[in-house]
Amino acid sequence: SNSFVFDLTHEMMLNSMDVLSLLTYCASSALVTAAAYAQSHLLLGLDKSLDCWCSRILDLPDFRQGVQSWNALQALLKSIGRELAGTFLILQIFGSLCFMLFLVNGVILVFEDLDAIPWTIEVFSGFPLLFMSCLSLKVSAHGAALTEKCRAIPSFVNQIPTEESIDQERQYLVRYITDSSAGFYVRDVKLTQEMVMKQMYVVGAMLSATISALSRAFI
């Protein structure tokens, strides 16, 4: 009788730990997802702010006022980038770890001898890790797109028609925007599209290497 009670208590404790682990995983995943979507929408909002600035300078080509408004806009970009830097880095590190865990779980799962139903459950349990990794890549891509739009604005301003063939005020604004080197900065490092492409290349290379190694093991 004492042994039965002990086994029952032990089983209840194990079940409680499993439920607690599941709740902790769900809560942390929800927190990371909410942070990623908040960062994504902030970056998209800054992107729309750049569109509004371009629309305004096109409708009212006052280049003297454009210098002041651009100065305020780039200050906004730097301020938000400085506030997002810490959580942005944490999200990128978390996404990289999720991707590594997804690959490791996939390799381990291939070599395990499981029935169809447990194997299917294990496969689908790894998809949240891949989702988190893709979510971090999405946020990084939005930051890089913001930088690329800032790069394209000087050429846009340079094409605004004016009454003078050579407009010195327009050229000053173009030079001012170029020299400001505006964009999305993370710890004083500008996030560019080239950096995101390299990150995606590394992800693709690791996936390709893993699939190649598994195919050689079973062929």
Side-chain angles (χ1 to χ4, degrees), residues 75-90:
L76 178 64
L77 292 173
K78 291 180 180 180
S79 177
I80 294 180
R82 184 169 55 250
E83 295 297 327
L84 291 181
T87 54
F88 182 87
L89 286 175
I90 292 174

Side-chain angles (χ1 to χ4, degrees), residues 6 40 43 61 66 81 85 108 122 127 135 150 169 180 185 196 219:
F6 177 79
S40 180
L43 294 174
I108 294 175
E122 290 292 335
F127 278 97
L135 197 60
C150 291
E169 292 184 355
S180 67
Y185 284 83
V196 176
I219 294 178

Side-chain angles (χ1 to χ4, degrees), residues 26-143:
C26 292
S28 59
S29 299
L31 182 62
V32 172
T33 303
Y37 274 105
Q39 290 186 11
S40 180
H41 281 79
L42 279 173
L43 294 174
L44 290 176
L46 291 175
D47 190 272
K48 297 300 181 183
S49 298
L50 292 174
D51 291 339
C52 292
W53 186 89
C54 292
S55 177
R56 180 177 179 82
I57 199 68
L58 181 61
D59 293 337
L60 300 172
D62 185 354
F63 301 115
R64 291 178 179 269
Q65 180 65 29
V67 172
Q68 299 178 5
S69 59
W70 179 259
N71 192 34
L73 185 57
Q74 71 164 335
L76 178 64
L77 292 173
K78 291 180 180 180
S79 177
I80 294 180
R82 184 169 55 250
E83 295 297 327
L84 291 181
T87 54
F88 182 87
L89 286 175
I90 292 174
L91 179 63
Q92 297 305 310
I93 294 173
F94 184 79
S96 300
L97 291 176
C98 287
F99 181 72
M100 295 297 296
L101 286 174
F102 176 77
L103 292 181
V104 171
N105 288 339
V107 173
I108 294 175
L109 186 61
V110 168
F111 292 99
E112 285 186 349
D113 187 15
L114 296 175
D115 294 332
I117 295 179
W119 189 85
T120 305
I121 294 174
E122 290 292 335
V123 168
F124 281 102
S125 65
F127 278 97
L129 297 174
L130 186 61
F131 172 75
M132 293 294 177
S133 179
C134 293
L135 197 60
S136 67
L137 281 176
K138 178 182 177 181
V139 175
S140 182
H142 285 163

Side-chain angles (χ1 to χ4, degrees), residues 147-189:
T147 300
E148 294 304 315
K149 179 164 288 189
C150 291
R151 285 181 176 179
I153 287 179
S155 61
F156 168 78
V157 174
N158 194 47
Q159 295 173 5
I160 296 177
T162 59
E163 296 179 356
E164 301 179 8
S165 57
I166 300 178
D167 195 316
Q168 297 296 330
E169 292 184 355
R170 182 184 62 187
Q171 294 304 315
Y172 179 81
L173 178 58
V174 170
R175 188 64 183 174
Y176 183 83
I177 296 173
T178 304
D179 291 343
S180 67
S181 188
F184 182 66
Y185 284 83
V186 180
R187 303 296 184 188
D188 295 329
V189 177

